[in-house]
Amino acid sequence: MSKYYVNKFLYQVDGDPELLAAYKADPAALLERWELERGQWLNRSERTTWLSFTDREREALIAHDYVTLFELGAHFFLSLTIFIAIYDEDYASEFGPLSFQREYGANLARWMGTDYPSVAL
Amino acid sequence: MATLSAVLATTHHPFYLKATTAPPEERMPQADEWKRKVEAYRETLTAAKPDVLVMVGADHFHQFFSDNYPTFLIGKQPQYDATFYNETREFGIPPYLLEGHEELSGYMLQGLMDRGFDFSVSHELKIDHSIICPIITTRPDADLPIVPIYTNIFAPPLPSPKRFWDLGRAIRSVIDEWPGEQRVAAVSSGHLSLELGGPRQFGETGPDPVFDRQAIEWLRTGDIDAILANVTHESMTASGNATHGFMDLILMMGIAGPIEASYVDSLDLFHTMEAYVTWYPEGAPE
């Protein structure tokens, strides 16, 4: 498991409008492209050779599955921000303001009153 | 010596600008009350007639990430760009270009190092909403030079609440020793109880209104002993997974010292409670 690598994906994609649009349109293709072009790259010339996703992490990212990402300990701010970017506008126009954020919280309801999975690395 | 003209500790609700500038048919019911409270709070800074702002905030994974996330960082630049693409996208906050006060940044950096706080320093820092939100609320003309200080309230492991208090005391000591006649104000934004990306997010109130009221009372009375006896990383987590931004408010009380606040207001909003606290450690402005 690599919470760091999951967070790196969320961080980089959320901060880049072109990557974000691609992640919304075709998550599997974008994930593959990101791993090839960016995931293991520290900068344009230096590589971090050992970083990789587990199958569960990869599947959760492809499925936009923020519940699993929460349970894997992905950073809550990164997950919330990127999925708001992807879903908020569509939800708000159909179901009203904050409807996506409230559904997101409701889907995590089983964690209410318990210790959440740690986001510490 | 410089004068510490005011210390302001406030929450930063990134939707303030959007909420109070939306067309009437889209305005939330509390928008007018929110605007009135913010404008009244702004007066506490305006009245202090500051020349320079020492601003404390925290980068929300905008510039800094876990490949190299600083615990404490200061910017030392002539100017600062502000507002990241994803903040404009989500919150509707526009870009800013703020003047920097390089001399005070350098003096502060050395002074904090001398006092046992080994800061990181950035010469290409871009400011995020933790500092731009209080600019929008307390100094919307953005016409004063700033010294930005970032703390880690975000990427564990975090420094202790006591460390934030001690850092506030150290910042105060450096400001007190800064030669010159300038009037310095310290302005910070943090949080009360807050949940992000968890089951308690975006509720009708913040996740722990009982903590919120207690926290405001601690700030009002300058009761650092009660804060340090009651507030731990674990207790903040229990109040909401992003409550650790309260430590930046503890830091600000550290700059003011264990004294009563001169101005305290709050507003119970959806998602989180707002707090507006001002201390005048060297006496209220005339």
Side-chain angles (χ1 to χ4, degrees), chain B residues 207-239:
Chain B
D208 191 347
V210 173
F211 168 80
D212 295 342
R213 282 189 284 275
Q214 178 64 72
I216 291 170
E217 183 61 13
W218 285 328
L219 296 171
R220 187 185 73 74
T221 55
D223 195 348
I224 185 58
D225 293 337
I227 289 177
L228 295 182
N230 288 282
V231 177
T232 63
H233 292 155
E234 293 72 26
S235 76
M236 286 184 281
T237 300
S239 293

Side-chain angles (χ1 to χ4, degrees), chain A residues 4 7-8 11 14-15 17 20 70 75-78 80-81 84-85 98 101-102 104-105 108 112 116 119 121, chain B residues 60-67 85-86 89-90 154 156 195-202 204 241-242 270:
Chain A
Y4 173 81
N7 287 343
K8 183 176 179 180
Y11 168 70
D14 183 66
L20 182 68
F70 177 89
H75 198 284
F76 50 82
F77 186 87
L78 293 170
L80 178 63
T81 303
I84 282 178
L98 299 177
Q101 289 85 336
R102 289 188 170 127
Y104 189 125
L108 292 165
M112 193 80 88
Y116 303 168
V119 300
L121 300 178
Chain B
H60 297 63
F61 284 147
H62 287 120
Q63 177 164 347
F64 300 106
F65 180 62
S66 306
D67 57 332
Y85 138 76
N86 46 8
R89 182 190 74 208
E90 185 173 353
F154 198 66
E195 176 99 343
L196 296 172
R200 294 172 288 176
Q201 70 179 4
F202 291 94
E204 293 306 312
N241 66 350
F270 75 99

Side-chain angles (χ1 to χ4, degrees), chain B residues 113-218:
Chain B
M113 301 276 263
D114 293 343
R115 288 162 176 78
F117 288 89
D118 301 325
F119 262 58
S120 301
V121 58
S122 175
H123 302 281
E124 192 178 354
L125 180 65
K126 185 164 183 174
I127 298 296
D128 90 348
H129 71 269
S130 65
I131 283 179
I132 279 303
C133 288
I135 287 286
I136 290 168
T137 53
T138 68
R139 195 76 185 187
D141 290 343
D143 57 347
L144 294 177
I146 68 163
V147 172
I149 291 174
Y150 274 176
T151 66
N152 180 9
I153 48 98
F154 198 66
L158 311 178
S160 68
K162 171 78 163 47
R163 188 71 172 155
F164 278 78
W165 167 260
D166 289 343
L167 176 56
R169 297 308 300 161
I171 292 170
R172 169 63 178 278
S173 160
V174 177
I175 292 171
D176 284 346
E177 286 188 7
W178 188 40
E181 301 303 317
Q182 297 218 52
R183 295 176 64 79
V184 179
V187 180
S188 166
S189 76
H191 303 297
L192 297 172
S193 72
L194 181 64
E195 176 99 343
L196 296 172
R200 294 172 288 176
Q201 70 179 4
F202 291 94
E204 293 306 312
T205 67
D208 191 347
V210 173
F211 168 80
D212 295 342
R213 282 189 284 275
Q214 178 64 72
I216 291 170
E217 183 61 13
W218 285 328

